[in-house]
Amino acid sequence: VSAFGGFGAVERAAAADFPVEPARFVDGPDSMQRLVRFPPQSRDGIVNVRCEGVLSETGRIRGLSYCQAVGAGLYGYELAASAVTLKLRLHPARVNGVARRVWFQYRFEFEQLGETRRVRVYANHGQQIKTFGGNYIGPQRIIDLAKEQPVIRTCRTRMKFIVQASVTEAGRAEAVSVIDQGEGSTACRRVALEAVRSSDFLPAVTDGAVVRA
């Protein structure tokens, strides 16, 4: 049973009306300013690094966190972001007051102008900045091992491909598709798509309202 059943007809609702609290950074976007080191070959301008990983019930990133810069030749920024992932402090995701483990997407924004440097970190992947602005909270997939067992059994070895979905205000995935074939068998992609379709999500939040994202 979906934790968000019954809210599907709501087009835009106050986040306070939902029994869910998405994970968010304890000290806001500037929380990592003093911990992140700019790479030696940094340059003027803004560089975004998208990261994702498992966020535990205690509000900590556990295990490996994958980070990739938006643009080519920016490996130093990826290393800078990866180096501090275990130091991130977040309020955990909650459903009906209970902390839940989620797949968490977040973004570092490196900004440099001469000697002035600033790092911000946001609880989104940055793919809908034009729609919601930079500080929205993106959808967060609740990790349910029972639903992921078919993926583990079918895929077996490490495979990489990108699955995209639209998450409704009710926390359900729609328009689920593979947008980057990458590596992986047809059977592996099929069970991965089904796992996303059947997952519960904490919906995106912007300006205190739950939105489709």
Side-chain angles (χ1 to χ4, degrees), residues 110-130:
F110 293 82
E111 182 178 10
Q112 179 171 320
L113 181 60
E115 297 299 316
T116 302
R117 294 176 170 180
R118 186 172 183 179
V119 178
R120 301 177 184 90
V121 62
Y122 299 103
N124 65 67
H125 232 206
Q127 294 161 317
Q128 292 186 293
I129 290 177
K130 291 182 179 179

Side-chain angles (χ1 to χ4, degrees), residues 136-151:
Y136 70 96
I137 299 177
Q140 299 167 11
R141 183 170 65 88
I142 297 175
I143 295 177
D144 184 336
L145 292 180
K147 293 178 180 179
E148 297 188 7
Q149 282 302 316
V151 179

Side-chain angles (χ1 to χ4, degrees), residues 6-20:
F7 295 102
V10 180
E11 290 301 316
R12 185 179 178 91
D17 294 337
F18 284 73
V20 299

Side-chain angles (χ1 to χ4, degrees), residues 4 7-8 10 18 139 166-174 201-204 210-213:
F4 316 113
F7 295 102
V10 180
F18 284 73
S166 174
V167 177
T168 70
E169 298 89 343
R172 305 303 302 175
E174 295 182 347
F201 289 78
L202 284 83
V210 174
V211 294
R212 180 186 297 260

